[in-house]
Amino acid sequence: MTRRRVHIALCVAGCALLIAASLLTGVIEFGPAAALSDPEALAVMAVSRIPRTLALVLTGATMGVAGMVMQMLARNRFIEPTTAGTGQSAALGILLVAFAWPAAPIWAQMIVASLAAIAGSAGFLLLIRNLPPSQPLLVPLVGLIYGGIIGAVVTFLGYRFDLLQYVEVWTSGDFSGVLRGRYELLWLAGVLAVAAYAVADRFTIIGLGRDASVSLGLNYVRVAIAGLLVVSVVTAVTVVTVGMIPFVGLVVPNIVSRLRGDDLRASLPWVALTGAVLVTLCDLIGRLVNHPYEVPVSTIFGLVGAVVFLWLLYARPARA
């Protein structure tokens, strides 16, 4: 067996073990045998544990893919949807729905949040278009300021109209409220991630820049719009369902790029798998560190993501 196949087998086995641990971890304790035979345990699995685990896997995988696509669009490895205004714009869209249509169904919130996220992402790409390429750190700096301004607007409106509690839900990723019937929109994000893989070669080319893409015969505008849709809708669906989770779209693509290179056709499956593993692992840590209480996964991943990203900045690349 080749080394590559060994790595694939180990990653798949690790992901399977984490999924099993997620299914068996919770306030109501039962073993594997009870999960397959006890009626009460089966009900808990069907209503809560299985939907939560699927939500973890879908969120980690799709946010990792969205982060890598955004990095290709912006040609910068130091950004992701939650640091470039996309997540904050989605939260603003949900807040506007809460003002205009308080009883709006979740699909209506998703549509408005997606439109707001598309506008926010497009605005960020326009802002960084004329930045000097010799100063790559200006891109994440602009993204942080841009996202901070939009986030401040969201917080002010939430304070002004007594909706700060709702704003906290949208801006802090947490899976404790995921139940059957309240996570299914994430499958749409999964479909978009698969669609991104189908055109992965085009996203790889667009990462070379507009001039190089056009010279290679690529319809730059069409592919950029497709990438914008993938990033925005995936982020909006995640914010509507579980809230914003920082660093997934930043750390995961950088880890995989160091090991697999920049060819999205080869690296996107690894991005999805790594994102699913890390988000599930952080959720398990959050459930166990103060059991039976939970620490939000956004808090755990924010800490883990910060440490990993600092390591990425200072470690020597695996592929020169």
Side-chain angles (χ1 to χ4, degrees), residues 168-226:
E168 180 67 22
V169 170
W170 302 324
T171 56
S172 179
D174 183 18
F175 290 84
S176 60
V178 173
L179 299 171
R180 185 176 60 192
R182 295 184 57 184
Y183 84 101
E184 283 76 7
L185 276 177
L186 289 172
W187 287 108
L188 174 60
V191 171
L192 289 173
V194 173
Y197 178 74
V199 294
D201 296 330
R202 292 174 174 82
F203 288 137
T204 301
I205 294 173
I206 208 174
L208 300 174
R210 185 186 186 99
D211 293 339
S213 301
V214 173
S215 66
L216 291 172
L218 187 72
N219 189 323
Y220 180 87
V221 174
R222 183 179 299 174
V223 177
I225 291 175

Side-chain angles (χ1 to χ4, degrees), residues 1 8 31 69 85 88 112 161 169 183 231 247-248 262 274 282 301:
M1 184 179 290
I8 294 174
V69 172
Q88 293 83 353
V112 177
F161 295 97
V169 170
Y183 84 101
V231 171
F247 285 113
V248 179
D262 292 332
T274 305
C282 289
F301 205 106

Side-chain angles (χ1 to χ4, degrees), residues 12 34 44 58 72 91 96 103 109 141 183 204 220 225 245 318:
V12 172
V44 172
L58 287 169
M72 290 293 105
L96 294 177
Q109 298 178 27
L141 181 61
Y183 84 101
T204 301
Y220 180 87
I225 291 175
I245 303 177

Side-chain angles (χ1 to χ4, degrees), residues 69-181:
V69 172
M70 172 161 263
Q71 290 172 10
M72 290 293 105
L73 293 176
R75 302 180 64 198
N76 192 285
R77 287 294 185 188
F78 299 106
I79 63 167
E80 64 148 344
T82 61
T83 61
T86 306
Q88 293 83 353
S89 298
L92 179 60
I94 304 172
L95 190 62
L96 294 177
V97 173
F99 293 152
W101 189 5
I106 192 169
W107 59 264
Q109 298 178 27
M110 186 271 292
I111 291 174
V112 177
S114 298
L115 294 174
I118 291 171
S121 301
F124 170 72
L125 293 177
L126 288 174
L127 279 176
I128 65 172
R129 185 173 57 179
N130 295 322
L131 292 177
S134 59
Q135 300 291 332
L137 293 180
L138 285 178
V139 175
L141 181 61
V142 170
L144 288 172
I145 296 172
Y146 179 68
I149 292 173
I150 299 174
V153 172
V154 172
T155 302
F156 172 76
L157 292 176
Y159 170 77
R160 178 67 178 80
F161 295 97
D162 198 22
L163 291 172
L164 277 179
Q165 185 175 2
Y166 293 99
V167 171
E168 180 67 22
V169 170
W170 302 324
T171 56
S172 179
D174 183 18
F175 290 84
S176 60
V178 173
L179 299 171
R180 185 176 60 192

